[in-house]
Amino acid sequence: MSKISPEILLTFIHLERTLKTPLYIQLYDEIKRGVFDGMLKHGDRMPSTRSLAAEFSISRNCVLLAFEQLTLEGFLTSKTGDGTYVCEQLNELKPVVRKLKKILGTEESTLIATETEELPLHAKFVLNYIGQEAMLPFQPSIPSLADFPFQIWAKIAANVYRNIHKLHLGYDSAQGYLPLREALTDYLRINRSISCTADHIVLVNGSSQAMHLIAELLLKKEDQCWMEDPGFLRAKSAFARFGAKICPVPISASGMDLDYAIHHFPAAKLAYVTPSHQYPLGETMPLMERIKLLKRAAQQNMWVIEDDYESEFRYVNRPIPALKGLDTFGKVIYVGTFNKTLFPALRIGYMVLPSVALAQQFTIAKAVIDRQSPVIDQAILTEFILGGHYSRHLRRMRLVYRKAQEELVALLKQHLGDYLRVDTTDAGMHLAAWLLNDQEATAVACKARANGVFIYAVDELSVAFKHPAALILGFTGFSRELMEAAVLKLKIILTD
């Protein structure tokens, strides 16, 4: 005996008797809309005409007329003795697929849309941040999870849960778990030369939330924002979302070209910088340039957002002190995160605000958005820091990542020495490889990603300026064997 597919419920259908449109046309329109919206998929068995008529209190003739028209148009098909089905030839009608050229480069990205209007500006800055992260070589900023001390983390977590009754399990401060903020003050003082109190710190769900809070509280529509170009796309996305005017500033050997920024955008209200390790080119802003930026911020009443991107991973000498540590004018907002140093799923970042009053404003804004970050995760992280495990982990990972970088550079020179120029970087979790031939870097990057090698072209992270063809390759989180296999794939692409 053959299996009969169950009838689908049509609870999404709404018929309005007060309309002048005949009921059978309304039913026809609703079923057709259900196919386009995905509520009805190919192979779905429709209810019988009698049951539909009874369900919607309409005549069976109305249902027959609607079914007849849908069958003529190819939406429904009848099987003798078996019922009426959504036609399989429709192949699950998909939403319109529209290709939009990114403002950040020449690559075209296929985006799903059911409307024809253009995406808002901030959405065009986002690459692939809504899905699961690829974690394929050479995706930048992937921590080496194989080297993470999960046994220690699990032991601390078990202890926290054993004593969970000692935590405040009601709503906690939206500013963040106080013991974690206190632990951060010591860490920042010792490692980043930042002097602050726990009251200056607001804990957030990663640097992305910090950028959105900054944009919401400090920027008005059409406010000019200096942005490194190339630079961090999610920061551009956040500021553009709230109507700010993105002002691309080129990168020199000293980081952001401040002379260019001052000349072209003198009225800027905010500057976003990664001074310790510019993303993605890796330049470090010298002391005199930092002082120039701080003086400009004080003179123009301009905010400076210091995204301390991967500053913990410096392979030559000690980490460079933060720009925030030099700020005597109260204009620098420091943003840090544990997502790169520990693991991204943790989703714990922090902001150091210039004043307690401003920290309170940010606390209120965060409370409105999500009330607070999960207190148990914060408690586990606190014990991880206080037990000295965080500092030991960072010291170990500097050695691991330095070795990984050396291995990748050696592989690139061995297999792709005629196609790429590559140098080691003093800090961070990725390096830049410069194409030696006439190939277009963005096209190479797109083809590589299609073949499981996750790289970006520098120009994909740029808004206004073109750069010599270069690729961004992350070297952390991948074994030597995995990196060599990816390098050989890249060789096929470059020699094709």
Side-chain angles (χ1 to χ4, degrees):
M1 183 176 177
S2 62
K3 182 178 178 181
I4 298 178
S5 301
E7 294 178 354
I8 188 169
L9 295 175
L10 302 183
T11 53
F12 60 88
I13 290 180
H14 300 282
L15 303 180
E16 182 57 64
R17 285 175 168 75
T18 60
L19 297 178
K20 295 182 179 179
T21 306
L23 290 172
Y24 81 90
I25 294 180
Q26 291 187 46
L27 180 60
Y28 157 84
D29 287 336
E30 289 287 279
I31 293 174
K32 189 174 180 179
R33 180 176 61 83
V35 172
F36 281 104
D37 290 348
M39 295 299 294
L40 292 171
K41 298 183 181 296
H42 73 69
D44 281 347
R45 185 166 177 258
M46 298 292 289
S48 70
T49 55
R50 290 184 186 276
S51 63
L52 267 182
E55 180 179 351
F56 293 109
S57 300
I58 57 178
S59 70
R60 188 184 175 203
N61 194 46
C62 281
V63 181
L64 288 169
L65 287 172
F67 273 31
E68 181 181 0
Q69 185 61 35
L70 289 163
T71 301
L72 286 172
E73 294 182 15
F75 286 90
L76 300 181
T77 182
S78 297
K79 299 181 180 180
T80 305
D82 192 14
T84 301
Y85 290 79
V86 178
C87 186
E88 296 187 14
Q89 301 304 317
L90 293 177
N91 192 28
E92 295 188 55
L93 283 175
K94 294 180 174 61
V96 176
V97 175
R98 185 173 73 250
K99 286 189 173 181
L100 293 177
K101 182 169 283 190
K102 290 194 185 79
I103 193 171
L104 53 138
T106 58
E107 177 197 358
E108 287 190 342
S109 174
T110 301
L111 299 170
I112 301 299
T114 54
E115 303 292 339
T116 57
E117 70 269 13
E118 284 290 312
L119 287 177
L121 177 63
H122 68 272
K124 296 183 183 180
F125 287 120
V126 180
L127 288 176
N128 296 308
Y129 297 129
I130 61 174
Q132 190 178 70
E133 191 172 41
M135 297 189 79
L136 296 170
F138 298 100
Q139 170 78 1
S141 304
I142 298 294
S144 181
L145 299 182
D147 293 290
F148 185 80
F150 283 111
Q151 287 187 332
I152 294 174
W153 185 271
K155 185 176 180 180
I156 293 173
N159 187 58
V160 168
Y161 274 100
R162 272 195 301 271
N163 296 282
I164 195 170
H165 59 282
K166 295 182 181 179
L167 294 175
H168 177 71
L169 297 179
Y171 290 116
D172 199 10
S173 168
Q175 192 166 356
Y177 186 54
L178 179 58
L180 178 53
R181 289 187 280 125
E182 291 173 339
L184 274 171
T185 61
D186 284 336
Y187 169 77
L188 292 169
R189 177 177 56 83
I190 295 169
N191 295 280
R192 307 303 297 128
S193 300
I194 295 175
S195 178
C196 64
T197 70
D199 291 335
H200 290 90
I201 296 174
V202 177
L203 297 175
V204 290
N205 298 328
S207 59
S208 292
Q209 185 177 58
M211 298 305 163
H212 280 78
L213 289 171
I214 289 166
E216 181 180 358
L217 266 66
L218 302 182
L219 292 174
K220 299 191 296 292
K221 192 171 183 180
E222 296 301 318
D223 276 355
Q224 292 184 352
C225 298
W226 292 353
M227 302 297 300
E228 297 174 333
D229 195 57
F232 187 42
L233 296 178
R234 272 183 277 187
K236 294 182 178 72
S237 169
F239 302 151
R241 180 187 176 199
F242 285 89
K245 183 179 180 181
I246 302 302
C247 301
V249 180
I251 303 302
S252 68
S254 300
M256 176 181 277
D257 189 334
L258 297 181
D259 291 334
Y260 179 97
I262 293 170
H263 178 73
H264 288 84
F265 312 111
K269 298 297 183 182
L270 181 145
Y272 170 88
V273 292
T274 53
S276 297
H277 178 242
Q278 197 278 329
Y279 178 80
L281 297 180
E283 308 294 352
T284 298
M285 183 178 284
L287 177 61
M288 294 310 297
E289 290 296 292
R290 294 179 182 223
I291 292 173
K292 181 192 292 187
L293 175 59
L294 293 174
K295 286 184 175 179
R296 177 70 183 184
Q299 292 167 358
Q300 297 297 121
N301 194 28
M302 178 175 71
W303 294 106
V304 176
I305 312 305
E306 179 181 14
D307 192 348
D308 209 16
Y309 183 79
E310 298 173 359
S311 62
E312 296 87 353
F313 300 126
R314 191 158 193 88
Y315 311 117
V316 179
N317 301 320
R318 285 177 54 83
I320 295 173
L323 176 68
K324 176 69 177 174
L326 299 172
D327 180 26
T328 58
F329 304 109
K331 302 308 297 181
V332 176
I333 297 175
Y334 179 93
V335 178
T337 178
F338 293 98
N339 299 331
K340 303 293 189 293
T341 55
L342 298 180
F343 50 91
L346 186 60
R347 303 308 304 150
I348 296 179
Y350 53 94
M351 308 171 66
V352 183
L353 284 308
S355 68
V356 174
L358 189 60
Q360 282 300 305
Q361 293 183 40
F362 274 82
T363 299
I364 293 169
K366 177 172 169 56
V368 170
I369 294 172
D370 62 6
R371 187 54 180 88
Q372 69 183 75
S373 299
V375 68
I376 296 174
D377 291 341
Q378 295 178 68
I380 296 170
L381 177 56
T382 302
E383 296 304 315
F384 191 76
I385 294 173
L386 294 178
H389 307 296
Y390 184 58
S391 294
R392 282 193 290 273
H393 178 62
L394 290 181
R395 287 196 296 271
R396 183 186 178 205
M397 298 319 294
R398 289 187 194 111
L399 297 176
V400 170
Y401 292 165
R402 180 174 182 172
K403 182 174 183 291
Q405 180 184 191
E406 291 170 351
E407 290 176 341
L408 177 57
V409 170
L411 288 169
L412 291 171
K413 288 182 177 180
Q414 176 187 347
H415 297 292
L416 293 171
D418 294 334
Y419 302 93
L420 293 174
R421 175 178 62 82
V422 61
D423 298 307
T424 57
T425 179
D426 291 342
M429 301 169 75
H430 70 267
L431 51 78
W434 307 89
L435 291 169
L436 297 177
N437 51 28
D438 295 329
Q439 288 181 282
E440 211 278 319
T442 299
V444 171
C446 292
K447 193 171 182 180
R449 291 197 293 268
N451 286 275
V453 181
F454 213 94
I455 58 178
Y456 290 117
V458 168
D459 278 339
E460 290 184 278
L461 306 177
S462 180
V463 174
F465 298 98
K466 293 289 292 182
H467 304 82
L471 305 173
I472 301 300
L473 289 82
F475 52 80
T476 60
F478 314 112
S479 67
R480 186 188 186 283
E481 293 72 25
L482 200 58
M483 288 195 294
E484 184 166 27
V487 167
L488 293 175
K489 282 187 178 180
L490 185 56
K491 183 175 183 179
I492 294 173
I493 292 168
L494 289 174
T495 57
D496 187 8

